[in-house]
Amino acid sequence: MEAIQDVNPHLSQNGDPLIIAGSGNVALHVYKFAAILGYSITMIDNRPDMLTRERFPEARELLVGDIVELLKRCTITPATSIVLLTDHHEFDLPALEAVITSPARYIGIMGNKRRVTAYFSRLEELNIPRELMERVHIPIGLDLGGQLAAEIALSAVAEIQAVKYGRSGGFVTIKQASSEFEKRDELF
């Protein structure tokens, strides 16, 4: 399948880059939350009927074609986040293999225990160094609870933000007044 590229020239490229492989319901909600946060979003999928400008109007790029090949062609910097949510997880492992050695700040994949084991076994077979495998967030997201597509997406974007700012993603609970609290209070 030939790659089809749709670039929105009206969108700023100032936000941190986010590459989302897949265009299903979870990917759609990740895109929506990330758009609110100002990410420069590239959507990749092999289904032209799902990856449309109507569905993803604020994406900087829509790339339709071979997911793995398109990922290999993307510019990935230390500020880039990558979320792998391909249809029925069909391309998640080959996509992970394509980006695992990249300098991406964040790589996340939705998955269950069986998939996690299979993916890491495959990476070990490929002699991928342990420190690179430890960068992969699988299953994706912070433990916020919820099973709906939007809830999973919220936890994924929250995890991307936590990694971006070097945070654990835990509760922000203030037990006593402090000067840090007073500084925060000025924001409101």
Side-chain angles (χ1 to χ4, degrees), residues 25 39 51 58 67 80 88 95 101 110 123 139 167 169 172 175:
N25 286 333
Y39 280 87
L51 193 60
E58 295 180 58
I67 293 169
T80 302
H88 300 290
T101 60
M110 199 164 72
L123 294 175
R167 300 300 184 119
V172 181
K175 301 290 183 188

Side-chain angles (χ1 to χ4, degrees), residues 125-146:
E125 289 172 13
L126 295 172
N127 295 316
I128 300 296
R130 172 107 1 236
E131 62 269 9
L132 290 180
M133 289 193 284
E134 289 173 357
R135 295 180 333 134
V136 179
H137 297 263
I138 181 169
I140 193 171
L142 298 179
D143 184 9
L144 302 179

Side-chain angles (χ1 to χ4, degrees), residues 118-182:
Y119 291 173
F120 285 119
S121 293
R122 175 67 181 147
L123 294 175
E124 285 175 354
E125 289 172 13
L126 295 172
N127 295 316
I128 300 296
R130 172 107 1 236
E131 62 269 9
L132 290 180
M133 289 193 284
E134 289 173 357
R135 295 180 333 134
V136 179
H137 297 263
I138 181 169
I140 193 171
L142 298 179
D143 184 9
L144 302 179
Q147 299 298 314
L148 300 175
E151 294 169 331
I152 294 166
L154 174 63
S155 73
V157 174
E159 184 175 60
I160 292 168
Q161 290 295 103
V163 169
K164 175 180 178 176
Y165 291 110
R167 300 300 184 119
S168 67
F171 292 111
V172 181
T173 304
I174 299 170
K175 301 290 183 188
Q176 60 186 6
S178 71
S179 60
E180 183 64 30
F181 178 72
E182 291 166 6

Side-chain angles (χ1 to χ4, degrees), residues 56-132:
F56 301 98
E58 295 180 58
R60 187 177 61 81
E61 282 185 297
L62 302 179
L63 305 177
V64 180
D66 183 302
I67 293 169
V68 175
E69 288 305 313
L70 290 168
L71 272 170
K72 288 178 181 178
R73 290 189 223 159
C74 286
T75 301
I76 300 173
T77 71
T80 302
S81 296
I82 302 170
V83 178
L84 305 176
L85 301 165
T86 65
D87 188 39
H88 300 290
H89 308 285
E90 183 179 359
F91 300 102
D92 287 353
L93 180 57
L96 176 58
E97 291 174 20
V99 299
I100 187 75
T101 60
S102 76
R105 173 173 55 214
Y106 177 91
I107 301 171
I109 308 172
M110 199 164 72
N112 57 32
K113 188 175 183 177
R114 181 183 52 77
R115 250 187 225 106
V116 170
T117 302
Y119 291 173
F120 285 119
S121 293
R122 175 67 181 147
L123 294 175
E124 285 175 354
E125 289 172 13
L126 295 172
N127 295 316
I128 300 296
R130 172 107 1 236
E131 62 269 9
L132 290 180

Side-chain angles (χ1 to χ4, degrees), residues 4-16:
I4 301 168
Q5 184 172 2
D6 173 3
V7 178
N8 189 337
H10 304 293
L11 293 177
S12 168
Q13 295 183 28
N14 293 336
D16 288 347

